[in-house]
Amino acid sequence: MEIRRAMTAAELKAAEHLFDDPVRPEWADRFLAAAGHHLFLAYEGAEPVGFVSGVETVHPDKGSEMLLYELGVDAAHRRRGIGRALVERLAELARELGCYGQWVLVDTGNDVALAAYRSAGGVTEGSCTVLTWEFT
Protein backbone atom coordinates (compact mmCIF):
# COMPACT_ATOMS: atom_id res chain seq x y z
CA MET A 1 0.00 0.00 0.00
CA GLU A 2 1.13 3.52 -0.81
CA ILE A 3 -0.32 6.75 0.60
CA ARG A 4 -0.09 9.90 -1.50
CA ARG A 5 -1.46 13.39 -1.09
CA ALA A 6 -4.20 14.14 -3.64
CA MET A 7 -3.23 17.05 -5.87
CA THR A 8 -5.81 17.04 -8.67
CA ALA A 9 -9.55 16.73 -9.15
CA ALA A 10 -8.83 13.88 -11.57
CA GLU A 11 -7.28 11.84 -8.74
CA LEU A 12 -10.39 12.40 -6.64
CA LYS A 13 -12.67 11.50 -9.55
CA ALA A 14 -10.72 8.23 -9.97
CA ALA A 15 -11.37 7.52 -6.28
CA GLU A 16 -15.05 8.48 -6.50
CA HIS A 17 -16.20 5.03 -5.37
CA LEU A 18 -14.73 5.79 -1.93
CA PHE A 19 -16.86 8.89 -1.34
CA ASP A 20 -20.50 9.12 -0.26
CA ASP A 21 -21.57 10.95 -3.41
CA PRO A 22 -20.15 11.66 -6.88
CA VAL A 23 -17.09 13.92 -6.93
CA ARG A 24 -17.88 17.27 -8.50
CA PRO A 25 -14.77 18.66 -10.20
CA GLU A 26 -15.51 22.27 -9.21
CA TRP A 27 -15.80 21.28 -5.54
CA ALA A 28 -12.73 19.06 -5.76
CA ASP A 29 -10.71 21.92 -7.25
CA ARG A 30 -11.97 24.28 -4.55
CA PHE A 31 -11.12 21.81 -1.77
CA LEU A 32 -7.62 21.14 -3.10
CA ALA A 33 -6.89 24.86 -3.59
CA ALA A 34 -8.06 25.92 -0.13
CA ALA A 35 -5.37 26.59 2.45
CA GLY A 36 -5.58 24.14 5.32
CA HIS A 37 -7.48 21.46 3.39
CA HIS A 38 -5.73 18.10 3.05
CA LEU A 39 -6.63 14.78 1.42
CA PHE A 40 -4.55 11.62 1.22
CA LEU A 41 -5.34 8.60 -0.94
CA ALA A 42 -4.23 5.03 -0.23
CA TYR A 43 -3.39 2.88 -3.25
CA GLU A 44 -3.00 -0.85 -3.80
CA GLY A 45 -1.07 -0.80 -7.05
CA ALA A 46 -2.82 1.79 -9.21
CA GLU A 47 -6.21 1.35 -7.48
CA PRO A 48 -7.35 3.91 -4.89
CA VAL A 49 -8.61 1.92 -1.90
CA GLY A 50 -8.99 4.55 0.82
CA PHE A 51 -8.81 8.21 1.71
CA VAL A 52 -8.66 10.56 4.64
CA SER A 53 -9.46 14.26 4.56
CA GLY A 54 -8.60 16.85 7.14
CA VAL A 55 -9.10 20.56 7.68
CA GLU A 56 -6.83 22.71 9.81
CA THR A 57 -8.73 24.96 12.16
CA VAL A 58 -7.19 27.92 13.93
CA HIS A 59 -8.55 29.72 16.96
CA PRO A 60 -7.17 32.90 18.57
CA ASP A 61 -6.68 31.36 22.00
CA LYS A 62 -5.90 27.76 21.08
CA GLY A 63 -3.72 27.72 17.98
CA SER A 64 -4.09 25.14 15.22
CA GLU A 65 -5.64 21.71 15.34
CA MET A 66 -6.58 19.18 12.66
CA LEU A 67 -10.18 18.13 12.16
CA LEU A 68 -10.23 14.67 10.64
CA TYR A 69 -13.17 15.34 8.37
CA GLU A 70 -13.71 11.95 6.77
CA LEU A 71 -12.13 8.52 6.43
CA GLY A 72 -13.18 5.98 3.83
CA VAL A 73 -11.82 2.56 2.93
CA ASP A 74 -13.24 0.33 0.19
CA ALA A 75 -15.18 -2.53 1.81
CA ALA A 76 -13.06 -5.18 0.07
CA HIS A 77 -9.89 -3.66 1.59
CA ARG A 78 -10.99 -3.16 5.20
CA ARG A 79 -9.34 -4.75 8.24
CA ARG A 80 -5.88 -4.52 6.66
CA GLY A 81 -4.64 -1.41 8.48
CA ILE A 82 -5.39 1.02 5.64
CA GLY A 83 -7.67 3.22 7.75
CA ARG A 84 -5.14 3.29 10.59
CA ALA A 85 -2.32 4.19 8.19
CA LEU A 86 -4.36 7.02 6.67
CA VAL A 87 -5.25 8.44 10.10
CA GLU A 88 -1.61 8.22 11.14
CA ARG A 89 -0.51 10.01 7.95
CA LEU A 90 -2.92 12.88 8.63
CA ALA A 91 -1.69 13.05 12.24
CA GLU A 92 1.89 13.17 10.98
CA LEU A 93 1.01 16.12 8.74
CA ALA A 94 -0.77 17.83 11.65
CA ARG A 95 2.39 17.55 13.76
CA GLU A 96 4.52 18.86 10.87
CA LEU A 97 2.18 21.87 10.60
CA GLY A 98 2.44 22.62 14.31
CA CYS A 99 -1.07 21.54 15.26
CA TYR A 100 -1.49 20.84 18.96
CA GLY A 101 -3.89 17.96 18.26
CA GLN A 102 -6.28 16.19 15.95
CA TRP A 103 -9.95 15.31 16.48
CA VAL A 104 -12.87 13.57 14.80
CA LEU A 105 -16.59 13.19 15.43
CA VAL A 106 -17.88 9.62 15.24
CA ASP A 107 -21.35 8.19 15.65
CA THR A 108 -21.32 6.10 18.84
CA GLY A 109 -22.62 3.03 16.98
CA ASN A 110 -19.97 3.16 14.23
CA ASP A 111 -17.79 0.38 15.62
CA VAL A 112 -15.69 0.06 12.43
CA ALA A 113 -14.69 3.74 12.52
CA LEU A 114 -14.12 3.71 16.27
CA ALA A 115 -11.82 0.68 15.93
CA ALA A 116 -9.82 2.36 13.16
CA TYR A 117 -9.40 5.59 15.10
CA ARG A 118 -8.50 3.82 18.35
CA SER A 119 -5.94 1.62 16.56
CA ALA A 120 -4.26 4.83 15.35
CA GLY A 121 -4.03 6.19 18.90
CA GLY A 122 -7.31 8.07 19.23
CA VAL A 123 -8.79 8.28 22.71
CA THR A 124 -12.45 8.77 23.61
CA GLU A 125 -12.89 11.91 25.72
CA GLY A 126 -16.42 11.12 26.82
CA SER A 127 -19.86 11.71 25.48
CA CYS A 128 -20.67 14.44 23.02
CA THR A 129 -23.85 15.74 21.44
CA VAL A 130 -23.72 16.90 17.85
CA LEU A 131 -26.12 19.59 16.65
CA THR A 132 -26.41 20.29 12.94
CA TRP A 133 -27.80 22.96 10.67
CA GLU A 134 -28.78 22.10 7.10
CA PHE A 135 -28.83 24.89 4.56
CA THR A 136 -30.76 23.76 1.50
Side-chain angles (χ1 to χ4, degrees):
M1 178 200 38
E2 179 184 5
I3 296 176
R4 297 192 308 254
R5 185 174 188 139
M7 304 300 287
T8 68
E11 290 173 287
L12 299 183
K13 190 70 174 165
E16 184 172 72
H17 64 284
L18 301 170
F19 295 92
D20 296 328
D21 296 303
V23 171
R24 292 186 44 182
E26 65 273 19
W27 291 352
D29 286 336
R30 183 175 171 189
F31 180 91
L32 294 170
H37 286 64
H38 312 283
L39 195 143
F40 291 97
L41 291 166
Y43 291 89
E44 291 283 348
E47 179 187 1
V49 295
F51 80 96
V52 66
S53 61
V55 178
E56 281 176 79
T57 61
V58 181
H59 200 270
D61 68 333
K62 294 175 181 66
S64 299
E65 64 183 334
M66 185 68 70
L67 161 62
L68 191 162
Y69 189 84
E70 190 169 0
L71 173 68
V73 177
D74 184 83
H77 295 271
R78 292 184 184 155
R79 303 191 59 82
R80 298 183 190 177
I82 294 169
R84 180 184 67 244
L86 285 161
V87 171
E88 289 172 345
R89 179 63 188 97
L90 186 64
E92 179 184 329
L93 174 65
R95 285 189 294 275
E96 291 169 8
L97 295 170
C99 294
Y100 68 85
Q102 176 170 291
W103 63 283
V104 63
L105 293 171
V106 183
D107 291 330
T108 54
N110 190 339
D111 295 332
V112 172
L114 287 166
Y117 297 136
R118 288 179 177 139
S119 74
V123 178
T124 302
E125 285 191 352
S127 63
C128 178
T129 300
V130 177
L131 304 171
T132 63
W133 288 255
E134 289 189 29
F135 305 113
T136 55

